[in-house]
Amino acid sequence: MNWTWFHRLGSPPHIYRIAGTLTPWFAWPAGLLIAAALYGGLVLAPPDYQQGEGFRILYVHAPSAWLAVMIYGVMASAAAVGLIWRMKVAHAVAASCAGVGAWFTAVSLLTGMLWGKPMWGTYWVWDPRLTAQLILLFLYLGYMGLRAGIDDLGRADKASAVLAIVGVVNIPIIRYSVEWWNSIHQAPSVMKMDRPSMPFDMLAPLLMMLLGFTLYFAAVMLVRLRAEILRRERTASWIREVLR
Amino acid sequence: MTEFFAMGGYAVFLWPAYLVTLIAIVANVLIARRAHDGAKQEARRRFDLEDEGSTT
């Protein structure tokens, strides 16, 4: 088997260049999808038969919550690859995920509170789903704090990777909390095995938002990754060529 | 139009939720760009220092 692709995958100048080329290909579709979904979600989608116009918070809440969990998955997977195959670029990817993940976890909590108040009558309850999502925020912050607290890069990579991997246990808890426990949080409307419980006008903007946010994350993460690679490679001669 | 912004009485919850999300989207683009620009500048400065050191 030819392993050249694997070594190229781990080569910082190669990744730096690829990341730069790919970024606009993620950023533009993301912007268009989010703009279209905004119009679809706020204007075209019919009001919910129970929640009226209030349900439209869904279009910012669900994509943020999806990003929060999805980014953690990417971060922990990259951290695992970095630990197992000692691939430094993988650690750089993990490190580039954490900040964005923390932001959108906070957004999912805040938008959830703003949705909870009119629908449940309270901003916050210590519900399994909500609590697990709050723990996710602490995991991100702990990961970032741990990295910031260790000067030696190699040790910071390893220690933070272990934390990220251990924290994965929280992900199924978030995902299945509404099924395992008698949660106040409503069950998922899209990712069900049977038919989605939404009319098309409502569902289409949501799916576009989910895809748009995912592409947006890819673009932002790649820019952060380039910064991370430059900082790690500080003395490498290829950076001279790139910056010329 | 007024009806649209009223959002059936949910305006006080709905618009802040959208605003928070918008802030996060814009902020993360700015943070990422600043990190990359900062890293490039720092690298340039370091190379300039090295070049000075080697010529004198």
Side-chain angles (χ1 to χ4, degrees), chain A residues 16 54 56 216 234 240, chain B residues 10 18 25 28 36 46 51:
Chain A
Y16 184 85
R56 296 181 202 280
Y216 162 85
R234 12 185 75 250
R240 246 172 214 272
Chain B
Y10 290 106
Y18 274 75
I25 288 176
N28 273 284
H36 189 209
R46 204 168 42 239
D51 293 346

Side-chain angles (χ1 to χ4, degrees), chain A residues 28 49 54 57 79-80 82 84 88 111 122 127 133 143 159 169 183 195 214 236 239:
Chain A
W28 285 106
Y49 78 104
I57 294 178
I84 296 166
K88 284 181 184 165
T111 55
T122 175
D127 172 270
Q133 190 77 357
Y143 177 92
V169 294
S183 172
R195 64 199 163 73
T214 306
I239 293 180

